[in-house]
Amino acid sequence: MDRTLNGSERRKRIMEMMRSSSVPLSGTALGKATGVSRQVVVQDIALLRTEGYPVVATARGYLLDQPKECVRLFKLCHTNEQTEDELTVIVDLGGCIRDVMVNHRIYGEVSAPLNIRNRRDVQNFMRDLRSGKSTPLMNITSGYHFHHISAESEEVLHEIEEALNQKGYLAEFLPYEKKSMAEEI
């Protein structure tokens, strides 16, 4: 490490390390990675907890107590009139629509965050669509669009996929889309 991190930078680095780890990280390992002693890490962990971070101490080290979400990229196609039904199907099965994206052949990938988690969010989104002069992003690609959908498990994502397929909303990824989005599929 070229320079010593200040306290704020160090705690940020500790959080990044814990978020990216699937196993507990020891105070010694965190100290070594951030250039401080284990005792300084213990103090940093205490500060992170007071800031509301869900850090758990185990016999093997520290980890974040946060539910793991599974995320999958779906390609869909439907009409404007079917938008509310599509979103409702997803949230009713326990999914969160994180974003909407189109893959335009000229403009490239265009996306917007949504974070639609429940029927109230669906209703607010639909109200905003109806009250504005804008149309859904999918209209620039003839109804084709993508959503990153998160859920508590792969099983829930599978149920969402099946329901969207039964409704006829799922679309197949094209070869160029598979290549450009390989890491997301």
Side-chain angles (χ1 to χ4, degrees):
M1 189 159 274
D2 295 333
R3 68 176 185 86
T4 305
L5 300 174
N6 69 35
S8 177
E9 294 169 331
R10 189 176 58 248
R11 287 185 292 280
K12 182 178 178 184
R13 177 72 180 120
I14 289 170
M15 287 300 299
E16 289 168 358
M17 292 171 64
M18 285 192 295
R19 281 188 185 109
S20 64
S21 179
S22 59
V23 297
L25 299 171
S26 72
T28 303
L30 290 168
K32 188 173 186 177
T34 56
V36 296
S37 69
R38 183 191 67 78
Q39 187 54 41
V40 172
V41 170
V42 170
Q43 292 168 354
D44 283 341
I45 295 295
L47 286 171
L48 289 168
R49 285 178 172 154
T50 63
E51 292 175 15
Y53 292 100
V55 179
V56 176
T58 71
R60 295 178 36 223
Y62 300 102
L63 57 89
L64 288 178
D65 183 26
Q66 56 188 7
K68 302 289 185 209
E69 280 193 323
C70 300
V71 180
R72 191 179 300 170
L73 182 67
F74 288 85
K75 181 178 179 184
L76 303 130
C77 185
H78 55 74
T79 66
N80 285 341
E81 294 75 28
Q82 294 169 316
T83 299
E84 186 171 0
D85 184 53
E86 172 216 27
L87 300 175
T88 302
V89 165
I90 295 166
V91 299
D92 282 355
L93 289 171
C96 170
I97 303 105
R98 290 185 167 190
D99 59 12
V100 61
M101 179 182 69
V102 295
N103 194 2
H104 196 275
R105 290 183 186 250
I106 296 170
Y107 301 125
E109 291 181 9
V110 180
S111 66
L114 295 178
N115 293 313
I116 297 173
R117 297 183 176 278
N118 53 49
R119 281 183 175 242
R120 179 183 300 157
D121 292 346
V122 171
Q123 293 304 314
N124 289 338
F125 178 77
M126 295 306 299
R127 184 193 66 236
D128 290 346
L129 271 182
R130 290 182 190 113
S131 68
K133 298 209 183 271
S134 300
T135 63
L137 194 55
M138 67 182 186
N139 288 342
I140 68 170
T141 53
S142 304
Y144 289 95
H145 60 288
F146 302 85
H147 288 303
H148 283 101
I149 299 174
S150 62
E152 66 183 23
S153 68
E154 285 296 327
E155 292 79 27
V156 172
L157 289 173
H158 181 71
E159 289 176 25
I160 291 169
E161 182 175 11
E162 287 296 315
L164 293 170
N165 191 39
Q166 286 178 358
K167 293 274 190 173
Y169 298 158
L170 280 186
E172 286 192 41
F173 285 87
L174 298 174
Y176 79 93
E177 293 168 335
K178 283 185 180 181
K179 190 172 189 173
S180 71
M181 300 178 197
E183 70 281 354
E184 299 193 56
I185 298 175

